[in-house]
Amino acid sequence: MSSKLSDKDITTSNALINDDSAPTVSVFVGGTSGVGKFTIEALVRTGASTRIYLVGRKSSKERMETFIKEQHTINPKAEIVWVEGEVSLLADSKRVCDVIKAKESRLDLLFLSAGYASLGGREETSEGLEVTQVLEYYSRMLFVQELMPLLKKAEAGRVVTVLGGGLEKVRSLDVDDLGLKKPGNFSPFKAQGHFLTMMTLHLEKLSKENPDVTFVHSWPGWVNTGNVDRRAGPLGFFMNFLFTFIVKPLIRILSMSNETSGQRHLFESTSAYYGGNGIPWKGNAGVNTMGEHGNGVFLVNFRGNTSTNEKMLPVLREKALEKVWEHTQEVFRPYLEG
Ligand SMILES: NC(=O)c1ccc[n+]([C@@H]2O[C@H](COP(=O)([O-])OP(=O)(O)OC[C@H]3O[C@@H](n4cnc5c(N)ncnc54)[C@H](OP(=O)(O)O)[C@@H]3O)[C@@H](O)[C@H]2O)c1
């Protein structure tokens, strides 16, 4: 059993973050907006000494220069280092990992939140992969694998990936077409469930091989970040109507504040509630996907509470874990060779 969290628990824990307990080095991929950015702001506002690598594309550079200056004024002990990279491409994701590995020998926190829900058809990158699948799955998992040696050198290395932890379903995963490449097999209604289920399975495999690292798969709930406007192509009539008149007004009404989202994700990034050696947690800690306390993979909902998703995960482990792992390594092979 784990204690249910309140926002007070979360802010009380975050208030304990100081020079000794803050992540010394962190990497944010997706921190140029939304949940990642709110989490950086919450970390900076702790006043603690910390170094943050902020990975983002060229089009966000100017905006981020202003952001970095603002954050430095708020907390001069927080150093934010801009690293330019196009993370929709695996070759560039690998290059960015090499840049970080050349600068740092340890990594306390890897925070992954790039991506958006596709609302249209399959859109391929120049590498022949579907863009939202790269942002929300392949590139994130490549960052984790490539930076694992650094995460293992930290006292309590932690990965937080923001998508849909706890929402895994057997029927969401297309085991026979993991890249959703078969003609007509990509649809916005299918994609998110498929990616998030792949992510949890891939993290479980990584966790088995790297038991000293903590993995948090967060489902952020509704946060009004403009995420639904990120698709590149135009929407069809039905989707346009649905999003303009129903989904977007609902998001405006139901979303939590940016500050709340930032605090919750800072807690997920630092608290021993999720295992590891984080900010001490008194009481029953959260449970990992094996139903245990301690390190492992934590499926965390928008209130910070953990779930084991025991109806789905045993079947998925049996049926799909190795297939997801092998498929992913096959996709990575051209970029990791040599
Ligand atoms: N917000 C929600 O309510 C919600 C709910 C459930 C799940 N999620 C998922 O949680 C994750 C984080 O959500 P969020 O709302 O924080 O996201 P967001 O603010 O919309 O975007 C996060 C990041 O994705 C990057 N990005 C978007 N398209 C890109 C592209 N084509 N190439 C490279 N980078 C790209 C953005 O870079 P730029 O700043 O350069 O554009 C930004 O750094 C996403 O995967 C989202 O689907 C969100």
Side-chain angles (χ1 to χ4, degrees):
M1 276 294 286
S2 53
S3 319
K4 292 281 174 225
L5 293 165
S6 68
D7 279 339
K8 187 158 186 302
D9 291 327
I10 288 173
T11 48
T12 304
S13 174
N14 289 346
L16 297 174
I17 298 173
N18 58 28
D19 287 355
D20 295 329
S21 56
T24 306
V25 181
S26 53
V27 170
F28 280 73
V29 186
T32 54
S33 73
V35 176
K37 187 164 172 243
F38 308 147
T39 307
I40 293 177
E41 287 170 341
L43 176 55
V44 167
R45 281 198 304 269
T46 62
S49 166
T50 186
R51 182 178 309 130
I52 298 165
Y53 287 90
L54 174 55
V55 180
R57 49 185 168 174
K58 192 176 189 159
S59 53
S60 293
K61 185 178 178 199
E62 219 176 289
R63 196 165 50 83
M64 285 303 105
E65 279 170 354
T66 310
F67 173 71
I68 290 169
K69 275 189 200 135
E70 284 164 5
Q71 300 307 303
H72 188 72
T73 313
I74 294 167
N75 175 5
K77 289 197 287 178
E79 182 193 359
I80 304 182
V81 183
W82 171 251
V83 183
E84 201 163 296
E86 184 44 79
V87 298
S88 65
L89 296 174
L90 294 184
D92 215 41
S93 301
K94 164 78 166 83
R95 182 193 61 77
V96 169
C97 291
D98 291 342
V99 168
I100 292 162
K101 284 198 276 191
K103 291 182 182 222
E104 296 293 340
S105 58
R106 68 180 260 190
L107 178 60
D108 304 273
L109 172 66
L110 174 59
F111 195 100
L112 303 160
S113 59
Y116 59 96
S118 167
L119 304 177
R122 188 181 164 86
E123 262 180 71
E124 287 195 356
T125 68
S126 56
E127 293 173 340
L129 299 166
E130 204 286 324
V131 63
T132 57
Q133 188 167 21
V134 180
L135 293 169
E136 296 194 328
Y137 176 69
Y138 293 123
S139 159
R140 294 191 193 190
M141 295 304 102
L142 188 133
F143 268 92
V144 181
Q145 275 181 231
E146 282 299 286
L147 296 180
M148 188 58 76
L150 273 61
L151 285 159
K152 283 162 82 167
K153 284 205 186 121
E155 266 165 54
R158 188 174 295 209
V159 175
V160 178
T161 176
V162 182
L163 192 59
L167 303 180
E168 305 75 9
K169 287 196 175 58
V170 175
R171 70 178 153 79
S172 296
L173 189 72
D174 190 337
V175 190
D176 299 322
D177 184 17
L178 290 168
L180 300 183
K181 280 193 160 182
K182 286 183 189 163
N185 200 23
F186 183 93
S187 94
F189 299 106
K190 181 172 189 169
Q192 290 292 98
H194 180 79
F195 304 160
L196 70 89
T197 303
M198 284 180 86
M199 175 118 75
T200 293
L201 294 177
H202 195 267
L203 293 180
E204 283 218 330
K205 177 85 176 183
L206 285 167
S207 168
K208 267 205 189 106
E209 290 173 2
N210 303 282
D212 296 336
V213 175
T214 298
F215 300 87
V216 172
H217 182 180
S218 155
W219 167 33
W222 286 22
V223 196
N224 193 5
T225 62
N227 192 269
V228 289
D229 288 318
R230 283 195 177 276
R231 75 209 168 265
L235 285 179
F237 176 78
F238 170 71
M239 290 295 259
N240 199 9
F241 182 86
L242 182 73
F243 274 82
T244 308
F245 295 106
I246 299 174
V247 177
K248 288 210 256 177
L250 272 179
I251 290 176
R252 272 197 296 276
I253 296 164
L254 298 177
S255 285
M256 67 188 80
S257 72
N258 300 349
E259 161 76 16
T260 300
S261 175
Q263 287 294 329
R264 289 178 182 175
H265 284 88
L266 179 61
F267 179 78
E268 291 171 26
S269 302
T270 54
S271 173
Y273 184 83
Y274 310 104
N277 297 330
I279 304 294
W281 174 259
K282 294 192 186 107
N284 290 330
V287 288
N288 61 27
T289 51
M290 297 298 161
E292 296 160 356
H293 302 299
N295 276 336
V297 178
F298 291 84
L299 307 176
V300 178
N301 75 7
F302 49 90
R303 294 196 185 282
N305 296 315
T306 55
S307 113
T308 52
N309 198 356
E310 64 214 14
K311 278 200 186 133
M312 298 290 161
L313 283 189
V315 183
L316 284 163
R317 276 182 202 120
E318 175 74 24
K319 186 180 146 190
L321 189 145
E322 287 303 328
K323 284 186 183 165
V324 167
W325 176 261
E326 275 160 27
H327 163 84
T328 308
Q329 299 315 308
E330 192 57 41
V331 170
F332 287 174
R333 198 151 292 134
Y335 307 100
L336 302 186
E337 272 169 358

